Amino acid sequence: MTQHPRRAGVRIGIDVGGTFTDAVAVDARSFELLAQVKVPTSHDHADGVAAGIIEALEKLQAGAGIGAGDVSFLAHGTTQATNALLEGDVATVGIAGIGSGFDGFATKRLRSLGKLELAPGRKLPVRFAAVRDPGDPVAVKEAIASLRADGAEVVVAVEPFSVDDPEGERLVMAAVHENGLPGTATHEITGLYGLAKRARTAVLNAGIMPRMITTADLVERSVTRAGITAPLMVMRGDGGVMSLPEMRRRPLLTALSGPAAGVAGALMGEKLSEGIFLETGGTSTDISVVRRGRVQVGHAHLGGRETYLPALDVRTVGIGGGSLVRFSGRAITDVGPRSAHIAGLSYACFAPASALAGAKLVTIAPRPDDPADYVALETPSGARYALTLTCAANALGAVPSGAYARSDAESARLALLPLAQALGTSVEEAARAVLRQASKPVRAVVDELVRAYRLEHITLVGGGGGAAAVTPFLGQDTGHDWKLAAHSEVISPLGAALALVRESVERIVPSPSNADILATRAAAEAAVIEQGADPAGVEVDVTVDPRRNLIRAVATGATELRTKDRAATVDEAAVRAEVARSMGVPAAEVTELAATPQHRVWGARARRRFRRPVQHVRVVDGEGVIRLHSAGALVESTTVGEAPGRLATVVDRHTRYGDGGSRAPAVWLLVGPKIADLSGVLDRDQLVALIGAELKTRAPDEPVVAVVADRP
């Protein structure tokens, strides 16, 4: 265990991986890593992964001297839901299809969900019973009894238009709970239309519910016994955390949360505001985007079909620190997808140099059905070691000093020597050839994400135990700025410890009124506050898509208001230099345009070839993090009392009219500790209404800064 001096006010993060469960303790004010531990993940324990979580927590507390009263926040991330879905290890789900006539016909078609293949040979176990009239308690009771007799362990109530009127689903769910069964209703999962997709998401949620509830109960009881009263949270797949009661209701939100925890760590620990995060393990690299200080989220695909599950837009490439080199006898043909772990071999570069003397190159098949073109080293004593991407990175000198993946230089050179001899080249050139081959698929994804999200002046941030095997070489090869996350080997539990409470509310409302939009915003805000977020710091991003009649509100907030002394912690010259780098201009051209007690707004006129210069704007928070990027924007300083009228005039002046209707400008409000992102709203009246909602609880003389950008 690594240990640092004890501090009061500790945030604890725990990440349950496939092999190990990692736990960290972080200072709640400075975000300094205080301690970390690693224990084997307890897949085979009677209490499942919960046993490993508790063991990690107990070791962390004992080793670092953390008392129950010191803990201000506790969160854990787990692959349990993801693994259950990937392996098809889910409970039998009973669908209570509500309605008669066409509605009854539509719900009966949901029996086809039983054809959904979660894993090879493992289909989604579904049972069905019709409920013609949910107001008939006898009929409802008979349907539930039928489902239970047919083996259902959990029930989903489904009615075609429950997002408009959920009463039928509520009546059925009340009866389900009276009968002692867990269950969910489709309107509890999403407010969006699309019966098949909504039901599919709800059924997957139900399939993992019994096991996830058991785990939640075990962890909660153990934490309570330990005397910890801090909020107990769980990582979501979209980069935030949620309360334990919310996880019991919607456990599917924890699916795909493995990559999300790492990105949360990069956002908070590395102060990443615009860039690409690469989390590299032994076998693969998860690649995701951070834009304007936000993770990029979409609807996830599970079982080969799209769901309404919000999750990170993450791309996974089969290249990791333990990826094995493939060799034709003349040239390096590939790196991976098999890794040292699969082959059951240790990394050659971590062996003593004396053990590698006289080693020769041999070919192996990591698994019986694999091609035998993967290479390994065999020593004169008959011992074998894996020749990995990490070995090549160390042999080339691409692994920075102090990195988790750093090995002895002599061992790394000896590991690459037999391959270099087979290629008829130097150790350095052989290592470079391995890294170049391995980086091709990673670079292709990075290039695709840069184009898709229109990213400029990005930073590549590497996390995970294998980060140094991929990110440094890729950064040097592409010319992008790069860095390795501090304590990259525990970036996921760090992310869990630092993550914000998050909730997403989506509704379909034809021709939505201002009241509809404000109600959706209020629902998201109330949800995160109910889960423990400090109301003063909750940020709500609202998007209105008039083509789809879609309103989306995403609220985020911390369980304690995070404040730091800006003057004591921020190097102004460094901030100016970073702002200039992000704009692509000299630091001398950057000027401060406006400020509030919590934010500063910087700007510069950026020249563009064959086009007029535009004013680039960057908003920097009290910790020196660039929280907002905008091009071609103006900055308006005012007060809360004057803002509604003044900003309405600005919005009118910058609203554009055309054949497709009007398009209000993109607006961001800096008020108190929050940056209210209203850029997803196109309608002038809706935008002005949201501005009013953001300001209504603030003092009239409080400063407000608006960043306003014309739309293309």
Side-chain angles (χ1 to χ4, degrees):
M1 182 182 121
T2 304
Q3 181 177 332
H4 300 272
R6 175 183 170 186
R7 304 282 179 86
V10 177
R11 296 175 70 91
I12 291 178
I14 302 173
D15 180 67
V16 182
T19 305
F20 291 104
T21 294
D22 293 298
V24 299
V26 179
D27 187 290
R29 288 185 58 80
S30 67
F31 301 163
E32 175 191 358
L33 178 65
L34 304 177
Q36 63 188 80
V37 299
K38 184 186 293 285
V39 302
T41 296
S42 52
H43 294 293
D44 298 327
H45 192 279
D47 292 339
V49 299
I53 292 173
I54 300 310
E55 181 185 358
L57 176 60
E58 290 173 347
K59 284 191 173 182
L60 192 70
Q61 286 185 267
I66 298 170
D70 296 332
V71 180
S72 63
F73 178 89
L74 172 61
H76 76 271
T78 173
T79 59
Q80 188 176 18
T82 306
N83 292 344
L85 293 170
L86 291 176
E87 297 166 9
D89 188 13
V90 297
T92 300
V93 180
I95 298 176
I98 302 169
S100 57
F102 179 79
D103 287 358
F105 170 75
T107 58
K108 283 180 182 177
R109 295 184 65 184
L110 297 175
R111 290 171 171 163
S112 63
L113 288 174
K115 299 177 181 178
L116 191 66
E117 192 169 59
L118 299 177
R122 300 293 297 272
K123 294 185 178 180
L124 187 62
V126 168
R127 307 293 184 265
F128 181 86
V131 179
R132 293 180 58 83
D133 180 7
D136 181 349
V138 175
V140 172
K141 185 176 181 180
E142 288 176 351
I144 294 170
S146 172
L147 290 172
R148 176 171 250 167
D150 209 13
E153 302 164 78
V154 58
V155 176
V156 174
V158 183
E159 191 169 21
F161 296 100
S162 60
V163 294
D164 295 328
D165 180 7
E167 186 59 24
E169 289 188 352
R170 285 175 178 160
L171 290 170
V172 172
M173 288 315 304
V176 168
H177 295 316
E178 285 176 8
N179 279 268
L181 283 173
T184 190
T186 68
H187 77 273
E188 296 174 337
I189 299 299
T190 179
L192 299 182
Y193 292 133
L195 176 63
K197 190 188 297 186
R198 193 169 75 249
R200 185 185 312 129
T201 309
V203 168
L204 291 171
N205 183 71
I208 61 174
M209 186 177 279
R211 177 179 295 185
M212 296 296 287
I213 288 175
T214 298
T215 298
D217 291 345
L218 288 167
V219 173
E220 185 177 42
R221 284 198 296 270
S222 298
V223 169
T224 301
R225 281 199 305 270
I228 295 174
T229 58
L232 178 56
M233 315 296 283
V234 186
M235 281 298 306
R236 295 164 50 116
D238 58 7
V241 292
M242 60 182 172
S243 67
L244 213 57
E246 192 60 33
M247 192 278 274
R248 289 187 178 97
R249 193 169 71 90
R250 294 186 293 169
L252 188 65
L253 290 176
T254 67
L256 308 178
S257 62
V263 179
L267 278 171
M268 300 301 299
E270 297 305 311
K271 303 180 179 179
L272 180 63
S273 64
E274 194 92 351
I276 292 180
F277 179 67
L278 304 100
E279 185 168 8
T280 303
T283 303
S284 63
T285 296
D286 293 322
I287 308 171
S288 49
V289 171
V290 174
R291 187 167 183 263
R292 293 175 176 167
R294 301 281 197 277
V295 295
Q296 301 304 298
V297 174
H299 286 150
H301 284 72
L302 294 170
R305 305 293 296 276
E306 188 178 13
T307 69
Y308 281 134
L309 170 68
L312 249 62
D313 179 8
V314 60
R315 319 291 169 88
T316 300
V317 179
I319 293 294
S323 292
L324 299 172
V325 178
R326 302 177 72 176
F327 184 56
S328 68
R330 296 182 179 179
I332 296 166
T333 58
D334 209 346
V335 178
R338 297 302 189 203
S339 65
H341 170 71
I342 296 298
L345 300 175
S346 300
Y347 293 27
C349 57
F350 293 130
S354 58
L356 299 177
K360 64 179 180 179
L361 206 65
V362 295
T363 57
I364 62 170
R367 285 184 172 171
D369 55 346
D370 287 337
D373 61 355
Y374 291 85
V375 294
L377 300 183
E378 186 173 280
T379 67
S381 66
R384 286 189 172 186
Y385 294 94
L387 187 57
T388 68
L389 184 58
T390 298
C391 297
N394 276 286
L396 190 62
V399 179
S401 177
Y404 184 75
R406 176 92 169 202
S407 76
D408 176 73
E410 185 181 358
S411 293
R413 289 186 60 81
L414 286 171
L416 265 290
L417 182 60
L419 179 63
Q421 292 171 338
L423 290 169
T425 188
S426 67
V427 166
E428 289 77 11
E429 283 304 312
R432 186 173 286 107
V434 171
L435 286 161
R436 191 174 293 120
Q437 182 67 41
S439 69
K440 284 180 182 178
V442 183
R443 181 170 184 168
V445 171
V446 169
D447 290 345
E448 178 190 346
L449 291 173
V450 168
R451 287 192 301 270
Y453 288 100
R454 300 179 182 178
L455 301 175
E456 296 180 357
H457 309 295
I458 67 166
T459 298
L460 304 178
V461 176
V470 172
T471 301
F473 182 83
L474 183 66
Q476 294 160 11
D477 199 42
T478 60
H480 292 310
D481 290 333
W482 65 273
K483 63 179 178 178
L484 298 182
H487 313 292
S488 61
E489 72 279 9
V490 288
I491 192 70
S492 288
L494 274 173
L498 298 174
L500 300 174
V501 184
R502 184 179 174 103
E503 186 59 81
S504 175
V505 176
E506 295 179 310
R507 292 175 178 167
I508 296 292
V509 183
S511 302
S513 65
N514 293 351
D516 293 324
I517 293 165
L518 294 176
T520 305
R521 179 196 178 281
E525 183 178 41
V528 295
I529 292 172
E530 184 181 353
Q531 294 179 65
D534 189 314
V538 173
E539 296 182 5
V540 186
D541 298 344
V542 178
T543 301
V544 181
D545 185 343
R547 291 173 299 177
R548 300 169 57 198
N549 294 314
L550 171 66
I551 309 170
R552 177 184 295 115
V554 180
T556 54
T559 54
E560 62 246 328
L561 191 56
R562 299 176 179 182
T563 58
K564 292 187 180 180
D565 180 357
R566 183 176 71 196
T569 60
V570 175
D571 181 337
E572 183 158 326
V575 170
R576 183 186 292 269
E578 179 60 21
V579 167
R581 186 198 69 80
S582 76
M583 295 179 178
V585 302
E589 296 184 12
V590 177
T591 59
E592 185 172 331
L593 303 177
T596 70
Q598 291 84 11
H599 298 97
R600 301 171 76 181
V601 185
W602 302 77
R605 303 287 290 181
R607 292 173 291 275
R608 302 183 298 173
R609 191 175 183 183
F610 305 126
R611 291 191 289 176
R612 290 185 302 173
V614 298
Q615 178 168 267
H616 283 259
V617 171
R618 301 291 184 265
V619 176
V620 179
D621 69 12
E623 298 174 35
V625 181
I626 299 175
R627 292 287 307 280
L628 174 63
H629 296 230
S630 185
L634 66 91
V635 176
E636 192 81 16
S637 296
T638 182
T639 63
V640 168
E642 296 178 354
R646 190 166 171 181
L647 295 182
T649 300
V650 172
V651 169
D652 287 340
R653 192 164 63 242
H654 289 270
T655 296
R656 299 290 179 257
Y657 298 89
D659 295 339
S662 65
R663 290 170 63 86
V667 174
W668 296 265
L669 288 183
L670 316 183
V671 54
K674 302 191 290 185
I675 300 178
D677 184 353
L678 309 180
S679 61
V681 181
L682 301 176
D683 181 84
R684 181 264 182 204
D685 292 342
Q686 295 169 354
L687 177 57
V688 171
L690 284 168
I691 290 173
E694 291 292 345
L695 301 176
K696 67 180 181 181
T697 61
R698 317 301 302 193
D701 60 348
E702 187 174 353
V704 176
V705 173
V707 178
V708 182
D710 290 331
R711 298 188 189 274

